[in-house]
Amino acid sequence: MFRNQYDTDVTTWSPAGRLFQVEYAMEAVKQGSAAIGLRSKTHIVLGCVNKANSELSSHQKKIFKVDDHIGVAIAGLTADGRVLSRYMRNECINYSFTYESPLPVGRLVVQLADKAQVCTQRSWKRPYGVGLLVAGLDESGAHLYYNCPSGNYFEYQAFAIGSRSQAAKTYLERRFENFSDSSRDDLVKDALMAIRETLQGETLKSSICTVAVVGVGEPFHILEQETVQQMIDAFEIVGEQEGPAAEPDAAAAAGQEAAAADQGGSTEEGVAPMDI
Amino acid sequence: MAKQQANWSPYDNNGGSCVAIAGADYCVIAADTRMSTGYNILTREYSKICKLADKCVMASSGFQADVKALQKQLAARHLIYQHQHNKQMSCPAMAQLLSNTLYYKRFFPYYSFNVLGGLDNEGKGCVFTYDAVGSYEKVGYSSQGSGSTLITPFLDNQLKSPSPLLLPVQDAVTPLVEAEAIDLVKTVFASASERDIYTGDKIEIVVVNATGIRREYMELRKD
């Protein structure tokens, strides 16, 4: 009811103690096309749905290599994402230059979060309108982080952001306990399945999605379209037997998988902290 | 009042020699592995050669601390280039970058005498030679460092093409085959280490060709 009075600039609090501009920025993330990430002990896979403005145009780049051991997938204002990727690349290069070793992922996400926080406390700035899934490998293992426009960041075993990400999140929630020990290929397969969940019935093709992998002994790289298509074809046949994957309830039809049909079709509020 | 003399110099000369020869489809870059200071040897196994890009290798003699700093700068700039352009830098591009980087410190130079070697965009060998502040030229062969005064005349005798002012224009690259060029490099270093006290121990030879980059070593006089 009072949103309109207190949402003009980011330095104005609402009576309920909220910063609406920041929340609107998070809204921008939810409007962007989906991006997902999942990790095992040794590998992290990032995937995203490529949305092109029209048939004539190419799709936007949503996955960026930041360094050999770090990559990022974005959802929201891709221009903001590009700028932040450039910042991250710079930080990695400078750290490598000074310390002759790769920048630990945890450090990078903190720097990124602090940078985002600055924009929530200056009247002449606006928050970045992009959510980042940062995938990285360092001495302490494989990590997947989510950085919000609010300046918060969280570590995840698996996560999805952007439009229709709830479907992917539910899919991941069902299976995340197994990810730790998954093989690299199984992880990629799960990523593709999660992407498919966000498509709501549309056929999954390698032309509308991008997948990237980073892992032990494997520098961050985006998988070739043919490789991705081959993997899709491999499980499409299996997938057909699953039935429509739109609602998590339909998982019951997939006799092979659904080990624990636990929390059925829970359309819970996303992962709470992100939504304040 | 007598003119003030410096009681300390920011520079030191670690000696050594570098050579590079360009061929039709290869490039040979070589440097000795001795690092000295004054009349002493610091180590017999120091590499003066650095791979800057897929098909681009640099050998530098002079003050190795400055050389190391220069190599790191170029490596970082190359990473940025790769992020922006999605490809490796070509040898001519790296050559220009090196020149600019050196001139940037025109008033406190990198004490580094460089030869850059590799393949250009068409796969032909190319060698670029520099002074300490970035003046550079594309040549068919070059030598820098403490032994260069001994090496260059020998290379001139074996490889020098007739005047570039003559027509028809002659290619700078040598007609020699890869194996012959490597042999020439070994001979040239063996000669230099006879008379130059700063050159010796081992030669590190790097060959860049269509199949990639390979490295070989040859022993030299240890005295």
Side-chain angles (χ1 to χ4, degrees), chain A:
Chain A
M1 175 175 144
F2 291 116
R3 261 167 99 113
N4 297 340
Q5 287 181 281
Y6 306 105
D7 67 356
T8 312
D9 61 59
V10 75
T11 50
T12 305
W13 288 99
S14 79
R18 297 158 73 161
L19 289 170
F20 286 119
Q21 279 297 311
V22 176
E23 293 186 27
Y24 294 165
M26 314 258 247
E27 210 43 52
V29 177
K30 292 188 207 164
Q31 300 300 327
S33 54
I36 57 116
L38 40 145
R39 68 165 167 148
S40 70
K41 278 210 213 61
T42 55
H43 288 78
I44 312 109
V45 178
L46 291 175
C48 71
V49 171
N50 298 332
K51 208 166 39 174
N53 278 336
S54 76
E55 289 227 346
L56 298 169
S57 78
S58 65
H59 61 79
Q60 290 190 309
K61 197 161 163 206
K62 284 163 49 86
I63 297 189
F64 299 92
K65 174 169 171 167
V66 167
D67 203 344
D68 281 337
H69 66 298
I70 302 182
V72 66
I74 63 171
L77 265 53
T78 43
D80 284 1
R82 218 173 46 234
V83 158
L84 287 175
S85 303
R86 195 162 57 226
Y87 167 76
M88 291 164 81
R89 284 169 176 169
N90 237 6
E91 291 300 304
C92 285
I93 290 175
N94 288 336
Y95 187 95
S96 273
F97 187 94
T98 311
Y99 299 100
E100 297 262 339
S101 76
L103 176 56
V105 198
R107 300 257 198 115
L108 180 61
V109 294
V110 177
Q111 285 174 260
L112 201 52
D114 287 346
K115 194 169 161 71
Q117 191 280 338
V118 168
C119 298
T120 66
Q121 213 176 8
R122 307 275 184 270
S123 61
W124 62 90
K125 286 184 180 248
R126 63 156 178 83
Y128 287 106
V130 66
L132 301 112
L133 282 171
V134 183
L137 201 65
D138 59 26
E139 278 181 355
S140 54
H143 300 279
L144 174 69
Y145 291 93
Y146 171 56
N147 279 70
C148 329
S150 61
N152 279 326
Y153 68 98
F154 309 93
E155 182 157 12
Y156 287 98
Q157 187 73 36
F159 200 47
I161 56 177
S163 70
R164 296 198 283 247
S165 58
Q166 186 51 55
K169 262 188 269 183
T170 321
Y171 173 86
L172 294 169
E173 271 166 32
R174 262 186 288 136
R175 330 207 44 232
F176 78 94
E177 265 140 4
N178 302 325
F179 289 163
S180 235
D181 301 309
S182 268
S183 73
R184 175 203 181 274
D185 289 339
D186 279 343
L187 215 60
V188 177
K189 205 175 73 161
D190 274 316
L192 286 166
M193 305 265 241
I195 294 175
R196 194 174 56 175
E197 298 290 315
T198 69
L199 294 173
Q200 306 270 341
E202 205 186 317
T203 345
L204 176 64
K205 297 189 289 252
S206 62
S207 55
I208 55 167
C209 69
T210 310
V211 180
V213 186
V214 59
V216 175
E218 192 179 349
F220 184 90
H221 65 288
I222 296 179
L223 300 183
E224 300 265 323
Q225 264 210 321
E226 295 116 48
T227 321
V228 176
Q229 190 57 50
Q230 276 167 15
M231 299 194 98
I232 295 174
D233 294 335
F235 72 73
E236 269 298 272
I237 305 155
V238 173
E240 268 161 24
Q241 297 163 3
E242 277 190 63
E247 278 310 308
D249 275 324
Q256 309 144 306
E257 279 134 40
D262 34 338
Q263 312 129 344
S266 51
T267 25
E268 25 164 315
E269 264 300 292
V271 184
M274 167 185 121
D275 291 344
I276 291 190

